[in-house]
Amino acid sequence: MEPRLNETDRAIIREIRDNGRATTTLVANVVDVSRPYVSDRITRMREHGFLTEVAPNLYDVTEKGRNTLDK
């Protein structure tokens, strides 16, 4: 079953997409939530294929993640 993304999840995906790639610290500062919260959400979204880790603590949006924002 597909997970439901809340508005903060979508904001995290948008921030990573808009920056090309982003770290958890950058996303947390821009989205205005804690870094541990962003880290937990990114882990969950990676597990479901919305994001990918391109280097340690550096993330990119997958096609699935981009399509989610288009809906």
Side-chain angles (χ1 to χ4, degrees):
M1 184 166 108
E2 273 305 303
R4 290 193 178 168
L5 299 178
N6 62 35
E7 194 52 42
T8 303
D9 294 335
R10 291 178 189 281
I12 291 168
I13 293 173
R14 272 193 299 275
E15 184 58 33
I16 294 171
R17 179 199 62 193
D18 292 350
N19 276 300
R21 294 179 177 166
T23 64
T24 53
T25 301
L26 172 68
V27 173
N29 288 336
V30 172
V31 178
D32 197 29
V33 293
S34 72
R35 195 202 56 72
Y37 179 81
V38 170
S39 182
D40 289 346
R41 300 310 296 166
I42 284 176
T43 297
R44 183 167 182 259
M45 289 188 282
R46 283 181 52 220
E47 290 169 353
H48 291 283
F50 296 102
L51 301 172
T52 187
E53 188 172 31
V54 295
N57 195 37
L58 185 64
Y59 303 94
D60 201 358
V61 179
T62 64
E63 183 176 343
K64 181 178 180 179
R66 286 187 297 277
N67 290 340
T68 297
L69 294 178
D70 294 339
K71 292 181 182 177

PDB file of all heavy atoms in Angstrom, residues 14-52:
ATOM      1  N   ARG A  14       9.650  18.991  -2.287  1.00  0.00           N
ATOM      2  CA  ARG A  14       9.785  20.217  -3.105  1.00  0.00           C
ATOM      3  C   ARG A  14      11.130  20.892  -2.870  1.00  0.00           C
ATOM      4  O   ARG A  14      11.797  21.337  -3.816  1.00  0.00           O
ATOM      5  CB  ARG A  14       8.656  21.196  -2.785  1.00  0.00           C
ATOM      6  CG  ARG A  14       7.410  20.989  -3.599  1.00  0.00           C
ATOM      7  CD  ARG A  14       6.435  22.159  -3.473  1.00  0.00           C
ATOM      8  NE  ARG A  14       5.983  22.347  -2.110  1.00  0.00           N
ATOM      9  CZ  ARG A  14       4.964  21.698  -1.562  1.00  0.00           C
ATOM     10  NH1 ARG A  14       4.286  20.818  -2.243  1.00  0.00           N
ATOM     11  NH2 ARG A  14       4.621  21.942  -0.309  1.00  0.00           N
ATOM     12  N   GLU A  15      11.544  20.979  -1.606  1.00  0.00           N
ATOM     13  CA  GLU A  15      12.815  21.639  -1.286  1.00  0.00           C
ATOM     14  C   GLU A  15      13.991  20.896  -1.917  1.00  0.00           C
ATOM     15  O   GLU A  15      14.888  21.505  -2.483  1.00  0.00           O
ATOM     16  CB  GLU A  15      12.986  21.751   0.227  1.00  0.00           C
ATOM     17  CG  GLU A  15      14.218  22.501   0.634  1.00  0.00           C
ATOM     18  CD  GLU A  15      14.278  23.909   0.075  1.00  0.00           C
ATOM     19  OE1 GLU A  15      13.234  24.561  -0.095  1.00  0.00           O
ATOM     20  OE2 GLU A  15      15.410  24.368  -0.201  1.00  0.00           O
ATOM     21  N   ILE A  16      13.983  19.580  -1.826  1.00  0.00           N
ATOM     22  CA  ILE A  16      15.064  18.793  -2.435  1.00  0.00           C
ATOM     23  C   ILE A  16      15.027  18.956  -3.952  1.00  0.00           C
ATOM     24  O   ILE A  16      16.059  19.163  -4.588  1.00  0.00           O
ATOM     25  CB  ILE A  16      14.966  17.313  -2.007  1.00  0.00           C
ATOM     26  CG1 ILE A  16      15.227  17.200  -0.498  1.00  0.00           C
ATOM     27  CG2 ILE A  16      15.942  16.452  -2.799  1.00  0.00           C
ATOM     28  CD1 ILE A  16      14.938  15.827   0.081  1.00  0.00           C
ATOM     29  N   ARG A  17      13.841  18.909  -4.532  1.00  0.00           N
ATOM     30  CA  ARG A  17      13.707  19.088  -5.987  1.00  0.00           C
ATOM     31  C   ARG A  17      14.204  20.471  -6.410  1.00  0.00           C
ATOM     32  O   ARG A  17      14.966  20.602  -7.377  1.00  0.00           O
ATOM     33  CB  ARG A  17      12.248  18.914  -6.397  1.00  0.00           C
ATOM     34  CG  ARG A  17      12.025  19.102  -7.906  1.00  0.00           C
ATOM     35  CD  ARG A  17      10.594  19.394  -8.239  1.00  0.00           C
ATOM     36  NE  ARG A  17      10.171  20.655  -7.620  1.00  0.00           N
ATOM     37  CZ  ARG A  17       8.914  21.032  -7.533  1.00  0.00           C
ATOM     38  NH1 ARG A  17       7.938  20.277  -7.983  1.00  0.00           N
ATOM     39  NH2 ARG A  17       8.615  22.187  -6.970  1.00  0.00           N
ATOM     40  N   ASP A  18      13.784  21.503  -5.699  1.00  0.00           N
ATOM     41  CA  ASP A  18      14.133  22.876  -6.085  1.00  0.00           C
ATOM     42  C   ASP A  18      15.618  23.172  -5.940  1.00  0.00           C
ATOM     43  O   ASP A  18      16.155  24.024  -6.644  1.00  0.00           O
ATOM     44  CB  ASP A  18      13.321  23.881  -5.273  1.00  0.00           C
ATOM     45  CG  ASP A  18      11.834  23.839  -5.622  1.00  0.00           C
ATOM     46  OD1 ASP A  18      11.455  23.172  -6.612  1.00  0.00           O
ATOM     47  OD2 ASP A  18      11.052  24.456  -4.877  1.00  0.00           O
ATOM     48  N   ASN A  19      16.292  22.471  -5.022  1.00  0.00           N
ATOM     49  CA  ASN A  19      17.730  22.663  -4.832  1.00  0.00           C
ATOM     50  C   ASN A  19      18.566  21.722  -5.686  1.00  0.00           C
ATOM     51  O   ASN A  19      19.783  21.786  -5.657  1.00  0.00           O
ATOM     52  CB  ASN A  19      18.100  22.457  -3.353  1.00  0.00           C
ATOM     53  CG  ASN A  19      17.888  23.712  -2.563  1.00  0.00           C
ATOM     54  OD1 ASN A  19      18.497  24.731  -2.845  1.00  0.00           O
ATOM     55  ND2 ASN A  19      17.000  23.643  -1.599  1.00  0.00           N
ATOM     56  N   GLY A  20      17.930  20.851  -6.407  1.00  0.00           N
ATOM     57  CA  GLY A  20      18.667  19.849  -7.170  1.00  0.00           C
ATOM     58  C   GLY A  20      18.988  18.658  -6.281  1.00  0.00           C
ATOM     59  O   GLY A  20      18.625  17.544  -6.571  1.00  0.00           O
ATOM     60  N   ARG A  21      19.615  18.910  -5.170  1.00  0.00           N
ATOM     61  CA  ARG A  21      19.920  17.925  -4.138  1.00  0.00           C
ATOM     62  C   ARG A  21      20.030  18.695  -2.834  1.00  0.00           C
ATOM     63  O   ARG A  21      20.327  19.885  -2.844  1.00  0.00           O
ATOM     64  CB  ARG A  21      21.237  17.204  -4.426  1.00  0.00           C
ATOM     65  CG  ARG A  21      21.171  16.362  -5.669  1.00  0.00           C
ATOM     66  CD  ARG A  21      22.474  15.690  -5.939  1.00  0.00           C
ATOM     67  NE  ARG A  21      22.330  14.834  -7.107  1.00  0.00           N
ATOM     68  CZ  ARG A  21      23.333  14.313  -7.748  1.00  0.00           C
ATOM     69  NH1 ARG A  21      24.568  14.546  -7.353  1.00  0.00           N
ATOM     70  NH2 ARG A  21      23.117  13.538  -8.784  1.00  0.00           N
ATOM     71  N   ALA A  22      19.806  18.013  -1.716  1.00  0.00           N
ATOM     72  CA  ALA A  22      19.856  18.733  -0.451  1.00  0.00           C
ATOM     73  C   ALA A  22      20.177  17.802   0.709  1.00  0.00           C
ATOM     74  O   ALA A  22      19.928  16.603   0.632  1.00  0.00           O
ATOM     75  CB  ALA A  22      18.518  19.431  -0.196  1.00  0.00           C
ATOM     76  N   THR A  23      20.717  18.388   1.768  1.00  0.00           N
ATOM     77  CA  THR A  23      20.998  17.654   2.998  1.00  0.00           C
ATOM     78  C   THR A  23      19.815  17.802   3.961  1.00  0.00           C
ATOM     79  O   THR A  23      18.980  18.701   3.811  1.00  0.00           O
ATOM     80  CB  THR A  23      22.254  18.206   3.696  1.00  0.00           C
ATOM     81  OG1 THR A  23      21.988  19.556   4.100  1.00  0.00           O
ATOM     82  CG2 THR A  23      23.471  18.145   2.783  1.00  0.00           C
ATOM     83  N   THR A  24      19.783  16.952   4.981  1.00  0.00           N
ATOM     84  CA  THR A  24      18.713  17.042   5.968  1.00  0.00           C
ATOM     85  C   THR A  24      18.752  18.375   6.714  1.00  0.00           C
ATOM     86  O   THR A  24      17.707  18.954   7.004  1.00  0.00           O
ATOM     87  CB  THR A  24      18.795  15.888   6.990  1.00  0.00           C
ATOM     88  OG1 THR A  24      20.099  15.849   7.558  1.00  0.00           O
ATOM     89  CG2 THR A  24      18.487  14.565   6.346  1.00  0.00           C
ATOM     90  N   THR A  25      19.928  18.886   6.987  1.00  0.00           N
ATOM     91  CA  THR A  25      20.052  20.154   7.707  1.00  0.00           C
ATOM     92  C   THR A  25      19.477  21.305   6.896  1.00  0.00           C
ATOM     93  O   THR A  25      18.720  22.128   7.421  1.00  0.00           O
ATOM     94  CB  THR A  25      21.530  20.429   8.062  1.00  0.00           C
ATOM     95  OG1 THR A  25      22.016  19.346   8.863  1.00  0.00           O
ATOM     96  CG2 THR A  25      21.692  21.739   8.808  1.00  0.00           C
ATOM     97  N   LEU A  26      19.799  21.371   5.613  1.00  0.00           N
ATOM     98  CA  LEU A  26      19.262  22.427   4.756  1.00  0.00           C
ATOM     99  C   LEU A  26      17.747  22.338   4.694  1.00  0.00           C
ATOM    100  O   LEU A  26      17.047  23.338   4.867  1.00  0.00           O
ATOM    101  CB  LEU A  26      19.849  22.325   3.342  1.00  0.00           C
ATOM    102  CG  LEU A  26      19.212  23.258   2.314  1.00  0.00           C
ATOM    103  CD1 LEU A  26      19.559  24.705   2.631  1.00  0.00           C
ATOM    104  CD2 LEU A  26      19.645  22.894   0.916  1.00  0.00           C
ATOM    105  N   VAL A  27      17.227  21.146   4.461  1.00  0.00           N
ATOM    106  CA  VAL A  27      15.778  20.971   4.354  1.00  0.00           C
ATOM    107  C   VAL A  27      15.099  21.356   5.666  1.00  0.00           C
ATOM    108  O   VAL A  27      14.086  22.060   5.662  1.00  0.00           O
ATOM    109  CB  VAL A  27      15.425  19.525   3.949  1.00  0.00           C
ATOM    110  CG1 VAL A  27      13.930  19.295   4.013  1.00  0.00           C
ATOM    111  CG2 VAL A  27      15.958  19.217   2.557  1.00  0.00           C
ATOM    112  N   ALA A  28      15.641  20.925   6.788  1.00  0.00           N
ATOM    113  CA  ALA A  28      15.047  21.247   8.087  1.00  0.00           C
ATOM    114  C   ALA A  28      14.982  22.757   8.306  1.00  0.00           C
ATOM    115  O   ALA A  28      13.974  23.275   8.795  1.00  0.00           O
ATOM    116  CB  ALA A  28      15.839  20.581   9.207  1.00  0.00           C
ATOM    117  N   ASN A  29      16.028  23.460   7.940  1.00  0.00           N
ATOM    118  CA  ASN A  29      16.050  24.916   8.106  1.00  0.00           C
ATOM    119  C   ASN A  29      15.011  25.598   7.226  1.00  0.00           C
ATOM    120  O   ASN A  29      14.316  26.509   7.674  1.00  0.00           O
ATOM    121  CB  ASN A  29      17.439  25.478   7.814  1.00  0.00           C
ATOM    122  CG  ASN A  29      18.434  25.135   8.886  1.00  0.00           C
ATOM    123  OD1 ASN A  29      18.078  24.878  10.031  1.00  0.00           O
ATOM    124  ND2 ASN A  29      19.708  25.109   8.522  1.00  0.00           N
ATOM    125  N   VAL A  30      14.898  25.176   5.991  1.00  0.00           N
ATOM    126  CA  VAL A  30      13.969  25.813   5.055  1.00  0.00           C
ATOM    127  C   VAL A  30      12.513  25.468   5.389  1.00  0.00           C
ATOM    128  O   VAL A  30      11.644  26.333   5.367  1.00  0.00           O
ATOM    129  CB  VAL A  30      14.311  25.423   3.599  1.00  0.00           C
ATOM    130  CG1 VAL A  30      13.258  25.915   2.635  1.00  0.00           C
ATOM    131  CG2 VAL A  30      15.676  25.969   3.218  1.00  0.00           C
ATOM    132  N   VAL A  31      12.248  24.204   5.689  1.00  0.00           N
ATOM    133  CA  VAL A  31      10.885  23.757   5.968  1.00  0.00           C
ATOM    134  C   VAL A  31      10.462  24.131   7.397  1.00  0.00           C
ATOM    135  O   VAL A  31       9.285  24.138   7.722  1.00  0.00           O
ATOM    136  CB  VAL A  31      10.763  22.239   5.703  1.00  0.00           C
ATOM    137  CG1 VAL A  31       9.394  21.710   6.027  1.00  0.00           C
ATOM    138  CG2 VAL A  31      11.098  21.930   4.239  1.00  0.00           C
ATOM    139  N   ASP A  32      11.428  24.477   8.244  1.00  0.00           N
ATOM    140  CA  ASP A  32      11.204  24.909   9.614  1.00  0.00           C
ATOM    141  C   ASP A  32      10.650  23.795  10.510  1.00  0.00           C
ATOM    142  O   ASP A  32       9.660  23.959  11.214  1.00  0.00           O
ATOM    143  CB  ASP A  32      10.291  26.137   9.667  1.00  0.00           C
ATOM    144  CG  ASP A  32      10.359  26.852  11.013  1.00  0.00           C
ATOM    145  OD1 ASP A  32      11.425  26.787  11.666  1.00  0.00           O
ATOM    146  OD2 ASP A  32       9.353  27.455  11.410  1.00  0.00           O
ATOM    147  N   VAL A  33      11.314  22.651  10.413  1.00  0.00           N
ATOM    148  CA  VAL A  33      11.052  21.525  11.315  1.00  0.00           C
ATOM    149  C   VAL A  33      12.401  21.009  11.795  1.00  0.00           C
ATOM    150  O   VAL A  33      13.445  21.389  11.266  1.00  0.00           O
ATOM    151  CB  VAL A  33      10.236  20.397  10.635  1.00  0.00           C
ATOM    152  CG1 VAL A  33       8.825  20.866  10.305  1.00  0.00           C
ATOM    153  CG2 VAL A  33      10.922  19.880   9.395  1.00  0.00           C
ATOM    154  N   SER A  34      12.392  20.119  12.771  1.00  0.00           N
ATOM    155  CA  SER A  34      13.664  19.643  13.323  1.00  0.00           C
ATOM    156  C   SER A  34      14.402  18.733  12.346  1.00  0.00           C
ATOM    157  O   SER A  34      13.789  18.058  11.512  1.00  0.00           O
ATOM    158  CB  SER A  34      13.422  18.893  14.635  1.00  0.00           C
ATOM    159  OG  SER A  34      12.822  17.636  14.386  1.00  0.00           O
ATOM    160  N   ARG A  35      15.724  18.721  12.463  1.00  0.00           N
ATOM    161  CA  ARG A  35      16.528  17.858  11.609  1.00  0.00           C
ATOM    162  C   ARG A  35      16.202  16.378  11.832  1.00  0.00           C
ATOM    163  O   ARG A  35      16.079  15.620  10.881  1.00  0.00           O
ATOM    164  CB  ARG A  35      18.022  18.138  11.797  1.00  0.00           C
ATOM    165  CG  ARG A  35      18.850  17.516  10.663  1.00  0.00           C
ATOM    166  CD  ARG A  35      20.288  17.295  11.044  1.00  0.00           C
ATOM    167  NE  ARG A  35      20.478  16.487  12.222  1.00  0.00           N
ATOM    168  CZ  ARG A  35      20.275  15.152  12.293  1.00  0.00           C
ATOM    169  NH1 ARG A  35      19.879  14.483  11.248  1.00  0.00           N
ATOM    170  NH2 ARG A  35      20.479  14.506  13.411  1.00  0.00           N
ATOM    171  N   PRO A  36      16.016  15.926  13.105  1.00  0.00           N
ATOM    172  CA  PRO A  36      15.647  14.519  13.294  1.00  0.00           C
ATOM    173  C   PRO A  36      14.311  14.153  12.624  1.00  0.00           C
ATOM    174  O   PRO A  36      14.164  13.059  12.079  1.00  0.00           O
ATOM    175  CB  PRO A  36      15.557  14.366  14.818  1.00  0.00           C
ATOM    176  CG  PRO A  36      16.472  15.414  15.345  1.00  0.00           C
ATOM    177  CD  PRO A  36      16.323  16.575  14.390  1.00  0.00           C
ATOM    178  N   TYR A  37      13.357  15.079  12.645  1.00  0.00           N
ATOM    179  CA  TYR A  37      12.077  14.821  11.979  1.00  0.00           C
ATOM    180  C   TYR A  37      12.290  14.660  10.477  1.00  0.00           C
ATOM    181  O   TYR A  37      11.774  13.719   9.864  1.00  0.00           O
ATOM    182  CB  TYR A  37      11.080  15.949  12.262  1.00  0.00           C
ATOM    183  CG  TYR A  37       9.753  15.740  11.565  1.00  0.00           C
ATOM    184  CD1 TYR A  37       8.802  14.894  12.099  1.00  0.00           C
ATOM    185  CD2 TYR A  37       9.476  16.366  10.359  1.00  0.00           C
ATOM    186  CE1 TYR A  37       7.593  14.675  11.459  1.00  0.00           C
ATOM    187  CE2 TYR A  37       8.269  16.165   9.708  1.00  0.00           C
ATOM    188  CZ  TYR A  37       7.341  15.320  10.258  1.00  0.00           C
ATOM    189  OH  TYR A  37       6.145  15.110   9.603  1.00  0.00           O
ATOM    190  N   VAL A  38      13.061  15.572   9.882  1.00  0.00           N
ATOM    191  CA  VAL A  38      13.346  15.474   8.443  1.00  0.00           C
ATOM    192  C   VAL A  38      14.076  14.175   8.139  1.00  0.00           C
ATOM    193  O   VAL A  38      13.754  13.483   7.172  1.00  0.00           O
ATOM    194  CB  VAL A  38      14.168  16.691   7.956  1.00  0.00           C
ATOM    195  CG1 VAL A  38      14.683  16.479   6.536  1.00  0.00           C
ATOM    196  CG2 VAL A  38      13.321  17.956   8.026  1.00  0.00           C
ATOM    197  N   SER A  39      15.027  13.819   8.958  1.00  0.00           N
ATOM    198  CA  SER A  39      15.774  12.576   8.749  1.00  0.00           C
ATOM    199  C   SER A  39      14.842  11.368   8.774  1.00  0.00           C
ATOM    200  O   SER A  39      14.939  10.486   7.914  1.00  0.00           O
ATOM    201  CB  SER A  39      16.851  12.440   9.827  1.00  0.00           C
ATOM    202  OG  SER A  39      17.606  11.289   9.616  1.00  0.00           O
ATOM    203  N   ASP A  40      13.931  11.322   9.735  1.00  0.00           N
ATOM    204  CA  ASP A  40      12.969  10.218   9.811  1.00  0.00           C
ATOM    205  C   ASP A  40      12.066  10.174   8.582  1.00  0.00           C
ATOM    206  O   ASP A  40      11.811   9.107   8.017  1.00  0.00           O
ATOM    207  CB  ASP A  40      12.099  10.332  11.067  1.00  0.00           C
ATOM    208  CG  ASP A  40      12.854  10.035  12.337  1.00  0.00           C
ATOM    209  OD1 ASP A  40      13.973   9.476  12.271  1.00  0.00           O
ATOM    210  OD2 ASP A  40      12.329  10.378  13.414  1.00  0.00           O
ATOM    211  N   ARG A  41      11.585  11.325   8.164  1.00  0.00           N
ATOM    212  CA  ARG A  41      10.683  11.383   7.002  1.00  0.00           C
ATOM    213  C   ARG A  41      11.433  11.003   5.721  1.00  0.00           C
ATOM    214  O   ARG A  41      10.897  10.300   4.869  1.00  0.00           O
ATOM    215  CB  ARG A  41      10.062  12.775   6.868  1.00  0.00           C
ATOM    216  CG  ARG A  41       9.245  13.221   8.055  1.00  0.00           C
ATOM    217  CD  ARG A  41       8.225  12.202   8.497  1.00  0.00           C
ATOM    218  NE  ARG A  41       7.230  11.989   7.454  1.00  0.00           N
ATOM    219  CZ  ARG A  41       6.375  10.974   7.429  1.00  0.00           C
ATOM    220  NH1 ARG A  41       6.381  10.081   8.383  1.00  0.00           N
ATOM    221  NH2 ARG A  41       5.509  10.872   6.450  1.00  0.00           N
ATOM    222  N   ILE A  42      12.666  11.467   5.574  1.00  0.00           N
ATOM    223  CA  ILE A  42      13.458  11.118   4.396  1.00  0.00           C
ATOM    224  C   ILE A  42      13.692   9.611   4.359  1.00  0.00           C
ATOM    225  O   ILE A  42      13.567   8.986   3.295  1.00  0.00           O
ATOM    226  CB  ILE A  42      14.779  11.907   4.355  1.00  0.00           C
ATOM    227  CG1 ILE A  42      14.498  13.348   3.921  1.00  0.00           C
ATOM    228  CG2 ILE A  42      15.788  11.247   3.411  1.00  0.00           C
ATOM    229  CD1 ILE A  42      15.706  14.256   3.935  1.00  0.00           C
ATOM    230  N   THR A  43      14.009   9.024   5.495  1.00  0.00           N
ATOM    231  CA  THR A  43      14.202   7.571   5.544  1.00  0.00           C
ATOM    232  C   THR A  43      12.942   6.856   5.058  1.00  0.00           C
ATOM    233  O   THR A  43      13.016   5.943   4.224  1.00  0.00           O
ATOM    234  CB  THR A  43      14.554   7.110   6.968  1.00  0.00           C
ATOM    235  OG1 THR A  43      15.804   7.702   7.330  1.00  0.00           O
ATOM    236  CG2 THR A  43      14.658   5.599   7.056  1.00  0.00           C
ATOM    237  N   ARG A  44      11.806   7.273   5.562  1.00  0.00           N
ATOM    238  CA  ARG A  44      10.544   6.649   5.148  1.00  0.00           C
ATOM    239  C   ARG A  44      10.284   6.848   3.655  1.00  0.00           C
ATOM    240  O   ARG A  44       9.887   5.918   2.956  1.00  0.00           O
ATOM    241  CB  ARG A  44       9.389   7.226   5.963  1.00  0.00           C
ATOM    242  CG  ARG A  44       8.065   6.570   5.639  1.00  0.00           C
ATOM    243  CD  ARG A  44       7.016   6.951   6.679  1.00  0.00           C
ATOM    244  NE  ARG A  44       5.771   6.299   6.391  1.00  0.00           N
ATOM    245  CZ  ARG A  44       4.738   6.883   5.800  1.00  0.00           C
ATOM    246  NH1 ARG A  44       4.810   8.142   5.430  1.00  0.00           N
ATOM    247  NH2 ARG A  44       3.618   6.225   5.568  1.00  0.00           N
ATOM    248  N   MET A  45      10.522   8.063   3.158  1.00  0.00           N
ATOM    249  CA  MET A  45      10.271   8.333   1.735  1.00  0.00           C
ATOM    250  C   MET A  45      11.271   7.606   0.845  1.00  0.00           C
ATOM    251  O   MET A  45      10.930   7.215  -0.271  1.00  0.00           O
ATOM    252  CB  MET A  45      10.247   9.839   1.484  1.00  0.00           C
ATOM    253  CG  MET A  45       9.001  10.485   2.068  1.00  0.00           C
ATOM    254  SD  MET A  45       8.785  12.219   1.626  1.00  0.00           S
ATOM    255  CE  MET A  45       9.953  13.005   2.729  1.00  0.00           C
ATOM    256  N   ARG A  46      12.480   7.380   1.330  1.00  0.00           N
ATOM    257  CA  ARG A  46      13.453   6.568   0.580  1.00  0.00           C
ATOM    258  C   ARG A  46      12.960   5.126   0.491  1.00  0.00           C
ATOM    259  O   ARG A  46      13.049   4.500  -0.562  1.00  0.00           O
ATOM    260  CB  ARG A  46      14.828   6.608   1.241  1.00  0.00           C
ATOM    261  CG  ARG A  46      15.585   7.886   0.991  1.00  0.00           C
ATOM    262  CD  ARG A  46      16.959   7.880   1.638  1.00  0.00           C
ATOM    263  NE  ARG A  46      17.714   6.698   1.261  1.00  0.00           N
ATOM    264  CZ  ARG A  46      18.495   6.006   2.097  1.00  0.00           C
ATOM    265  NH1 ARG A  46      18.610   6.373   3.358  1.00  0.00           N
ATOM    266  NH2 ARG A  46      19.158   4.966   1.676  1.00  0.00           N
ATOM    267  N   GLU A  47      12.463   4.599   1.604  1.00  0.00           N
ATOM    268  CA  GLU A  47      11.968   3.221   1.632  1.00  0.00           C
ATOM    269  C   GLU A  47      10.823   3.004   0.638  1.00  0.00           C
ATOM    270  O   GLU A  47      10.654   1.906   0.118  1.00  0.00           O
ATOM    271  CB  GLU A  47      11.490   2.852   3.041  1.00  0.00           C
ATOM    272  CG  GLU A  47      12.618   2.722   4.036  1.00  0.00           C
ATOM    273  CD  GLU A  47      12.138   2.610   5.476  1.00  0.00           C
ATOM    274  OE1 GLU A  47      10.916   2.758   5.737  1.00  0.00           O
ATOM    275  OE2 GLU A  47      13.001   2.377   6.350  1.00  0.00           O
ATOM    276  N   HIS A  48      10.061   4.064   0.365  1.00  0.00           N
ATOM    277  CA  HIS A  48       8.925   3.966  -0.546  1.00  0.00           C
ATOM    278  C   HIS A  48       9.223   4.505  -1.940  1.00  0.00           C
ATOM    279  O   HIS A  48       8.318   4.611  -2.775  1.00  0.00           O
ATOM    280  CB  HIS A  48       7.715   4.671   0.062  1.00  0.00           C
ATOM    281  CG  HIS A  48       7.182   3.950   1.264  1.00  0.00           C
ATOM    282  ND1 HIS A  48       6.415   2.811   1.168  1.00  0.00           N
ATOM    283  CD2 HIS A  48       7.341   4.181   2.586  1.00  0.00           C
ATOM    284  CE1 HIS A  48       6.116   2.383   2.380  1.00  0.00           C
ATOM    285  NE2 HIS A  48       6.679   3.195   3.258  1.00  0.00           N
ATOM    286  N   GLY A  49      10.485   4.854  -2.202  1.00  0.00           N
ATOM    287  CA  GLY A  49      10.897   5.211  -3.554  1.00  0.00           C
ATOM    288  C   GLY A  49      10.670   6.642  -3.988  1.00  0.00           C
ATOM    289  O   GLY A  49      10.790   6.950  -5.168  1.00  0.00           O
ATOM    290  N   PHE A  50      10.367   7.551  -3.055  1.00  0.00           N
ATOM    291  CA  PHE A  50      10.163   8.954  -3.417  1.00  0.00           C
ATOM    292  C   PHE A  50      11.475   9.722  -3.500  1.00  0.00           C
ATOM    293  O   PHE A  50      11.587  10.707  -4.221  1.00  0.00           O
ATOM    294  CB  PHE A  50       9.247   9.651  -2.395  1.00  0.00           C
ATOM    295  CG  PHE A  50       7.858   9.092  -2.368  1.00  0.00           C
ATOM    296  CD1 PHE A  50       7.469   8.229  -1.361  1.00  0.00           C
ATOM    297  CD2 PHE A  50       6.944   9.422  -3.349  1.00  0.00           C
ATOM    298  CE1 PHE A  50       6.186   7.702  -1.325  1.00  0.00           C
ATOM    299  CE2 PHE A  50       5.666   8.901  -3.331  1.00  0.00           C
ATOM    300  CZ  PHE A  50       5.281   8.032  -2.321  1.00  0.00           C
ATOM    301  N   LEU A  51      12.468   9.283  -2.729  1.00  0.00           N
ATOM    302  CA  LEU A  51      13.773   9.928  -2.678  1.00  0.00           C
ATOM    303  C   LEU A  51      14.863   8.878  -2.803  1.00  0.00           C
ATOM    304  O   LEU A  51      14.633   7.697  -2.546  1.00  0.00           O
ATOM    305  CB  LEU A  51      13.954  10.667  -1.342  1.00  0.00           C
ATOM    306  CG  LEU A  51      12.952  11.760  -1.004  1.00  0.00           C
ATOM    307  CD1 LEU A  51      13.163  12.253   0.424  1.00  0.00           C
ATOM    308  CD2 LEU A  51      13.045  12.908  -1.977  1.00  0.00           C
ATOM    309  N   THR A  52      16.052   9.334  -3.173  1.00  0.00           N
ATOM    310  CA  THR A  52      17.214   8.461  -3.218  1.00  0.00           C
ATOM    311  C   THR A  52      18.392   9.177  -2.581  1.00  0.00           C
ATOM    312  O   THR A  52      18.484  10.411  -2.641  1.00  0.00           O
ATOM    313  CB  THR A  52      17.533   8.034  -4.665  1.00  0.00           C
ATOM    314  OG1 THR A  52      18.568   7.074  -4.647  1.00  0.00           O
ATOM    315  CG2 THR A  52      17.945   9.205  -5.535  1.00  0.00           C
TER     316      THR A  52
END
